[in-house]
Structures are given as C-alpha cells and as structure tokens.
C-alpha cells in the first residue's frame, strides 16, 4: 500500500477516535494539556496496537484466505465504513454524562474505537502488505487528531463529531473499493501465469 493510501486509511480509522475525543472535550470542565495527552495516548496507542494484533491473526490463517483476500479487504472496509456512516446519522439525543479521564472508561472507549483497526490489520495480512508503516501512521495520526479533538470539543462543542465520522466511513469504503478494483483489473495477468 502506498504512503498516500496509508495516510487516508489512517485518517478514516482515526475518525471514530476524533469524534469521541470531541465528545470527551465537551465533558472536561477544566482543560489542561495533560488531560488531552492522556486521552490521545490511549486512543493512539490502541489504534496502533489493534491492527498489529489483526495482522498476526491474519498471518496465521492467510493460507486459507489468499484466494479471496481482495474480497475480504473490500468487505471489511466497506462494512466498517458503512457502520461508521450509519452511526454518524443516528440521533445523539441519549448521550450520557461520563468521565473521559477515568482509566477504565478510556480503555473501553479506546477498544471500541479501534475494533475497526483490528479488522484492517487482518486485511493487511491477507494482502501481504507491510504493517510497520501502517501501524506507525495509524497510531500517530490518531494521537494527533484525538489530541486536537479534545480541545475542539472543549471549545466548539458537538458540531463536527458526526460529520467527521461520516467522512471517515466514506474514506474506508473508497479504500476498500480501490483495493478490489486494483486486484480485479490485475486478474487476467495473474491467470495467464
């Protein structure tokens, strides 16, 4: 996967964490840099760890799925992207008060926002793409977006969260479609071997 695609993938995966970071910023009364750093470290760390775990799982079972790897990557990214778009369109009327700085809450939020990255890691394994650049990009981009998101939420409120999640979902669907298209257009060359 080229660097530009990796960056777009990272941005798409970070959209959930950014949206939750914005919501977290809303709940923080007295904003300090260390509070935003804590949230960003959790989100960025889990977003980097989960694709790595997915990659190891995918490598273990790659011999079973290599013939259909492009369909798996397309399906996973489209499903994740579609779910993000669906969730972005849902009403936020029932938002509960929570303490985003509580470690247990942060772990729960971090896992919830990084499940998508686990599935992407599996996709990297079946496509035999290098995971190092992806893990680094996903972790750093999520960290910086979450850090900024906490401050944006604290200052601007809940105006952007759903729009960002929608955009992130659309990016993931685009990347999945691109993987499928690129593989399908190469099929005649592979079949000729």
């Amino acid at each position: 996967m080229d660097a530009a695609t990796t960056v777009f993938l990272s941005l798409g995966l970070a959209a959930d964490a950014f949206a939750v970071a914005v919501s977290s910023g809303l709940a923080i009364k007295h904003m300090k840099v260390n509070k935003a750093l804590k949230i960003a470290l959790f989100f960025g760390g889990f977003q980097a760890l989960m694709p790595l775990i997915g990659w190891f799982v995918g490598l273990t079972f790659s011999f079973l799925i290599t013939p259909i790897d492009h369909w798996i990557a397309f399906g996973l990214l489209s499903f994740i992207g579609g779910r993000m778009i669906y969730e972005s369109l849902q009403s936020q009327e029932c938002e509960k008060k929570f303490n985003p700085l509580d470690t247990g809450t942060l772990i729960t939020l971090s896992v919830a926002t990084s499940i998508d990255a686990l599935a992407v890691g599996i996709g990297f394994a079946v496509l035999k793409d290098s995971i190092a650049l992806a893990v680094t990009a996903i972790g750093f981009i999520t960290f910086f977006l979450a850090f900024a998101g906490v401050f944006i939420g604290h200052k601007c409120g809940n105006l952007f969260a759903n729009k960002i999640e929608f955009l992130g979902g659309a990016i993931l669907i685009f990347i999945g479609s691109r993987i499928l298209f690129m593989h399908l257009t190469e099929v005649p060359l592979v079949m000729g071997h």
Side-chain angles (χ1 to χ4, degrees), residues 49-66 72 76 117-127 131:
L49 178 64
M50 293 297 251
L52 195 57
I53 292 169
W55 185 71
F56 280 118
V57 169
L59 283 181
T60 305
F61 299 103
S62 66
F63 68 95
L64 294 173
I65 48 184
T66 299
I72 292 171
L76 287 171
L118 178 78
V120 167
I122 293 171
F124 269 91
V126 299
L127 293 174
I131 194 71

Side-chain angles (χ1 to χ4, degrees), residues 132-173:
L133 175 63
V135 165
T136 304
I138 291 167
F140 276 112
I141 287 173
T142 302
F143 171 84
F144 288 115
L145 286 179
F147 184 78
V150 173
F151 285 102
I152 290 169
H154 186 70
K155 294 285 185 193
C156 302
N158 199 349
L159 300 175
F160 305 112
N162 290 349
K163 293 175 182 74
I164 294 299
E165 193 172 12
F166 184 94
L167 179 61
I171 289 171
L172 292 182
I173 291 171

Side-chain angles (χ1 to χ4, degrees), residues 41-157:
L41 282 171
F42 269 86
F43 286 160
F46 273 83
Q47 284 281 21
L49 178 64
M50 293 297 251
L52 195 57
I53 292 169
W55 185 71
F56 280 118
V57 169
L59 283 181
T60 305
F61 299 103
S62 66
F63 68 95
L64 294 173
I65 48 184
T66 299
I68 55 169
D69 57 5
H70 52 288
W71 286 104
I72 292 171
F74 169 73
L76 287 171
L77 290 171
S78 295
F79 173 75
I80 294 163
R83 194 183 81 215
M84 287 172 66
I85 290 170
Y86 174 78
E87 289 172 0
S88 76
L89 299 174
Q90 298 306 300
S91 172
Q92 299 296 319
E93 295 168 2
C94 301
E95 253 182 66
K96 298 177 182 175
K97 296 244 178 199
F98 70 100
N99 178 6
L101 297 170
D102 174 69
T103 301
T105 300
L106 266 177
I107 289 171
T108 302
L109 291 173
S110 298
V111 169
T113 58
S114 63
I115 291 295
D116 304 347
L118 178 78
V120 167
I122 293 171
F124 269 91
V126 299
L127 293 174
K128 296 184 176 41
D129 269 340
S130 171
I131 194 71
L133 175 63
V135 165
T136 304
I138 291 167
F140 276 112
I141 287 173
T142 302
F143 171 84
F144 288 115
L145 286 179
F147 184 78
V150 173
F151 285 102
I152 290 169
H154 186 70
K155 294 285 185 193
C156 302

Side-chain angles (χ1 to χ4, degrees), residues 2 21 32 38-40 51 66 106 116 121 126 143 167 177 186 190:
D2 60 54
K32 292 184 179 175
K38 182 177 181 181
I39 292 170
T66 299
L106 266 177
D116 304 347
V126 299
F143 171 84
L167 179 61
S177 300
E186 294 174 6
V190 173

